[in-house]
């Protein structure tokens, strides 16, 4: 087939160096090289085919994933891939698998964290939660060799638990001689290493179908129940506390704050994942918006490209800008994690609360917006976005759990808000707020200041944007603190005003992203101007979307809000010729995108048509069921038909 | 099994007459009776089982739907159901089927409207669009007996086209002797009535998997291509125009505006559907929020019901209020449709543009919010909302097309905005705006007026709410009109300011809903107080959500916006004890809800556990694929494994 590029015209319009932007997006030339090489490796291997995923039955889908995971590790071993390369491979294979939680080929694949949601046993023949683990062995004197679990509330959700895992890490309340020592971790063998059957007293199963056709149904999220299971004492995870052979509970001097380091790490990867999912969705929607034409034909000429409509730009371009913004803030979080880790190792816990609040907030902000944005991109593709071959329904279904796992997004924002309230309450004490809350140190100024924007172009000044976002966040924080102080108690205040607190936390987190972008945008070699356009679109779009908060706090005036909207339209016009190049810079292969609408060559329609024919329903021209069900209806023989 | 009702306490707290509210929701006692009877009929018939839908393969799923459709019509005939009863049956069977578009048992089941999206033939071996139908027969003299279609651009999306339909209504451009007579309709037979095979020259197929597990994959949305198909002349739809035997094109004197009547009708049903889908989602989320407990345990007592958290109430209660609001506005649209129809029959077209704008806007507003709201309800159920057994993923996937079909929601809002701009431009001419735009007649007052709200309770006055919403909508309209007039041309203005126009249209449509609610709320017998609480929640939540527009237009002050939020919290507290009763009043059976989380008896967890075991993956304890793929990984034999 001859090569076509329906988007060649669009590509020629780009006003920045796409190759340079690819490096910016990838992080470095080295990362770009590895990424390209591994992406090609996956795309060219038929074993990693994924376009049939949505039509497989649950069992076939799962088996197919087992096969891919084994094949992936086989390749990693054969090709002696580095850790970086192996991790890229997993990324491009692009299918949730039981190996994900512990990404290494052998033993650890069988360990699984049972930290899912408990299913309270109401109405079930098992006891109440609360006193889950009975340190049975401790009732006998020495030697203490085993922990008995007479039963355990079933655990739900852990990935890989249902069918694949051989071991689990169970977190449970430890009682020794009736004394409660809180939640501790235990490694428990779940299945036989000979034939994979569950060990005596252990019930384990898959929890059933989840959202989407393929999506997370490739994963065996599981349910687990224990019935009088005993595990050796030395399978307790004993880094922070242990039970001696004599049955005595002893705490180690390892600081528990170390656990927070892991949390910061996990959340940083979630923010990075958000930028991946979002960039993928906007890549599909942007390319298809340039391919698709609708209405507006003049003098019999072609119809208007959908991407030229301002309503489309107003929905799409801020999402492109967000993808870049999240990428950059994700990069910065990597630095933050390194910084926190080094401090923890030096027993310096001073920045931990701020780092914790910052990562919790950014996890919440980026995952919520990304989930919504994927669905928005789907709608931006019109009816065809509803087809699985658009790739967007799958992307949505596989992404949305990010809003719930590793901390529900609303709960996380309330934690951020608590930290902000604490920061406000300490302002008088002379303690200077650090890191992302440093602006609170200038609260007196921020409560008084008026934005000096007088014409639309003034909104291009980084200081104008920053000051408006800082004033909004600071004023909302102070207002919340004031309103809470009027309540009978602080806890009542937190409960009653929790919705205001959530909004305040969002304002603070948006400021963090805007701040990071402004700090780093001009350092994007070869694409400074484009990076600045994106940064301004991101900021001014948020300003318009949340203008209620900017106006209610008096951070800006209605006139200034209106000028921001004017400037936003100018920015859209500047972004327009760069749109395709901006999503090309993500450097995604067609295999990874998995979307007929988002194809690099824009040759959408013949491929959409060809793809339709692959549906199993098209195996026959006359559908299965015609004779039994359709024919009796057409022939008016329903009354006598045996259905 | 003994009967439990975990929600009995909640039900006893209700402060209004649930039975009376059921009648209000159903529309009348008669409708409630029919609805209850048919719901029970469907729920008790094993043929209508739907809980296995998400695990069926595409082919089995489709065949199952054929069976259900045939069974449904068999029952309708056997039981001699009325049209009302038959329509209820279809509603409770709750599965998109090829019979939906033409809901009657025999011949019409085979007709299908080919008005889907065209796939431009770029790169395909078929000509360009534009001159689709060639009136070949007209080139010969008399008698004209057939229309020839040398080819036709493939049509996408029509439901029931792919596998089931025997006939299609094809809309195509009619050329007679090279003269273009615009788009006309033709009935075309697609398949043999003997063996259901496609007729010569006709290619027809299913377009492939769509969003969701079951959802619209029960429907054979199709693609259709013609290759030199000829159809008899008299199969042209000739109500508004015809081609004579002599090949002459003649227009009839039937007014074309009659077509708009159908449009008003269809959109009215879509608004009604929105209230159904939304009420179903909030019923699930509300019940589960009362069942689910998390955190906040005091002195070892039970944890807090999730529904008692203000953040949960702030997300959930406005959606409950929206479900009621849409139900009421949907009822009113039925009246509007009757009114329009009567006027059309009397050749009175004066209210048509306003009715058209009103229904277009409400279609857009209600479907967009409902789609978002279903996903929000899913998130409000935490992790378990992601399970198919929650019912919410399916509900979302099956609902979202409503944002795109029968007019893309953004395109419809732009039509509303055009109507508003026209209304503004005619204000000076003495022509009084009618119906839902009547408030524009008081534009002078609305541009000047200041809200007189001084304390939170003032926001309970219907006049305070109405005036704020009217002022916001009127001021946004006038500002748009003014900004457009500053542009080089009106069309450029419309294009450039289209995002502002969309926001203005939304403001206008929200006003319509608020207005209808205020007008009718107090007439809800036995539940006036509760109806008023819901109405106020709906209005004040919108006011908070869009406070940027209320503030930017000066319709209210920041202080008044803050008072509205205070009042909203009071309203949530008033709604709380009524929450379960409010969703009970929808009177949905567990079969219809299709959700373990939303069960009437609240006995969620044992049933969630039981449901998990039904997944095909749990057919065996050791999964298919263990020996080939998992074992080699565990045994470190990957290198030699044959995968």
């Amino acid at each position: 087939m001859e090569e076509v590029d329906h988007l060649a015209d669009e590509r020629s319009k780009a006003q920045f160096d796409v190759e340079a932007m690819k490096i910016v997006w990838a992080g470095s030339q080295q990362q770009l090289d590895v990424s390209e090489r591994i992406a090609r490796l996956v795309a060219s291997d038929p074993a990693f085919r994924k376009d049939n995923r949505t039509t497989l039955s649950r069992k076939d889908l799962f088996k197919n994933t087992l096969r891919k995971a084994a094949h992936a590790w086989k390749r990693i071993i054969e090709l002696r891939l580095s850790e970086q390369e192996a991790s890229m491979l997993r990324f491009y294979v692009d299918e949730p698998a039981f190996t994900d939680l512990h990404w290494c080929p052998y033993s650890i694949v069988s360990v699984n964290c049972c930290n899912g949601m408990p299913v309270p046993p109401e109405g079930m023949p098992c006891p109440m939660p609360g006193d889950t683990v009975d340190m049975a062995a401790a009732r006998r004197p020495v030697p203490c060799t085993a922990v008995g679990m007479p039963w355990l509330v079933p655990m739900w959700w852990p990935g890989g638990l249902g069918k694949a895992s051989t071991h689990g890490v169970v977190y449970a309340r430890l009682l020794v001689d009736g004394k409660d020592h809180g939640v501790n971790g235990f490694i428990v063998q779940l299945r036989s290493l000979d034939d994979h059957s569950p060990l005596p007293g252990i019930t384990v199963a898959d929890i059933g179908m989840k959202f989407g056709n393929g999506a997370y149904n490739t994963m065996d999220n599981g349910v687990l129940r224990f019935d009088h299971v005993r595990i050796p004492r030395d399978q307790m995870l004993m880094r922070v506390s242990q039970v001696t052979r004599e049955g005595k509970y002893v705490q180690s001097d390892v600081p528990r704050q170390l656990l927070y380091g892991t949390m910061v790490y996990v959340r940083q990867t979630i923010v990075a994942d958000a930028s991946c999912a979002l960039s993928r969705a906007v890549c599909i929607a942007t390319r298809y918006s340039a391919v698709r034409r609708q209405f507006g034909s003049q003098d019999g000429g072609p119809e208007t490209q959908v991407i030229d409509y301002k309503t489309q730009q107003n929905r799409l371009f801020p999402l492109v800008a967000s993808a870049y913004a999240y990428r950059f803030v994700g990069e910065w979080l990597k630095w933050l994690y390194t910084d926190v880790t080094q401090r923890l190792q030096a027993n310096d816990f001073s920045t931990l609360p701020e780092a914790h609040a910052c990562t919790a907030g950014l996890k919440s902000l980026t995952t919520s917006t990304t989930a919504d944005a994927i669905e928005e991109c789907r709608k931006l593709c019109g009816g065809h976005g509803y087809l699985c071959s658009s790739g967007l329904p799958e992307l949505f279904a596989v992404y949305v759990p990010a809003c719930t796992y590793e901390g529900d997004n609303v709960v996380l924002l309330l934690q951020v808000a608590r930290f902000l309230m604490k920061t406000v309450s300490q302002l008088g004490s002379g303690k200077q707020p650090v890191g992302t809350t440093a602006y609170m140190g200038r609260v007196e100024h921020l409560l008084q200041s008026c934005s000096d924007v007088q014409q639309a172009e003034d909104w291009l000044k980084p200081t104008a944007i920053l000051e408006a976002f800082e004033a909004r966040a600071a004023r909302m924080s102070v207002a919340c603190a004031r309103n809470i102080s009027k309540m009978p108690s602080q806890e009542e205040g937190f409960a009653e005003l929790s919705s205001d607190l959530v909004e305040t936390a969002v304002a603070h987190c948006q400021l963090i992203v805007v701040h990071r972008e402004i700090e780093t945008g001009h350092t994007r070699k070869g694409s400074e101007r484009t990076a600045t356009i994106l940064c301004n679109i991101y900021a001014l779009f948020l300003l318009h979307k949340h203008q209620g908060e900017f106006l209610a706090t008096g951070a800006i005036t209605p006139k200034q809000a209106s000028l921001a909207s004017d400037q936003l339209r100018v920015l859209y016009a500047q972004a327009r010729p760069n749109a395709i190049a901006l999503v090309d810079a993500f450097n995604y292969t067609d295999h990874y995108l998995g979307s007929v609408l988002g194809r690099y060559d824009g040759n959408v329609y013949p491929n959409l048509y060809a793809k339709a024919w692959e549906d199993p329903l098209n195996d026959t021209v006359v559908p299965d069921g015609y004779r039994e069900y359709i024919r009796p209806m057409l022939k008016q023989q329903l009354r006598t038909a045996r259905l």
Side-chain angles (χ1 to χ4, degrees), chain A residues 290-326:
Chain A
V291 168
R292 183 178 168 209
R293 292 174 178 271
Q294 205 152 25
F295 311 123
S297 164
Q298 287 182 334
D299 309 324
E303 295 179 292
T304 305
Q305 285 172 287
V306 168
I307 198 173
D308 283 327
Y309 290 107
K310 287 283 167 187
T311 43
Q312 193 84 354
Q313 295 179 2
N314 188 46
R315 294 161 77 193
L316 183 58
F317 290 172
L319 303 183
V320 177
S322 303
Y324 275 94
Y326 295 171

Side-chain angles (χ1 to χ4, degrees), chain A residues 183-230:
Chain A
V183 172
N184 285 264
F186 305 85
I187 289 192
V188 187
Q189 184 174 346
L190 305 174
R191 289 173 176 270
S192 152
L193 295 181
D194 290 329
D195 63 5
H196 211 59
S197 60
L199 296 185
I202 286 175
T203 307
V204 63
D206 183 273
I207 57 170
M209 289 290 282
K210 289 146 289 184
F211 202 165
N213 309 68
Y216 261 96
N217 292 309
T218 56
M219 178 74 96
D220 53 329
N221 298 80
V223 52
L224 174 65
R225 296 181 71 182
F226 291 113
D227 183 12
H228 292 87
V229 169
R230 290 172 67 86

Side-chain angles (χ1 to χ4, degrees), chain A residues 278 319 366-379 396 399-400 403 545:
Chain A
L278 180 50
L319 303 183
T366 58
T367 55
S368 286
T369 10
T370 296
D372 291 348
I374 296 170
E375 171 63 4
E376 182 75 354
C377 285
R378 195 190 63 70
K379 290 200 187 110
F396 182 75
Y399 188 75
V400 285
C403 299
K545 187 176 168 196

Side-chain angles (χ1 to χ4, degrees), chain A residues 125-141:
Chain A
C126 82
M128 290 300 292
D131 41 12
T132 339
V133 170
D134 178 39
M135 189 69 186
R139 291 200 193 109
R140 284 168 287 139

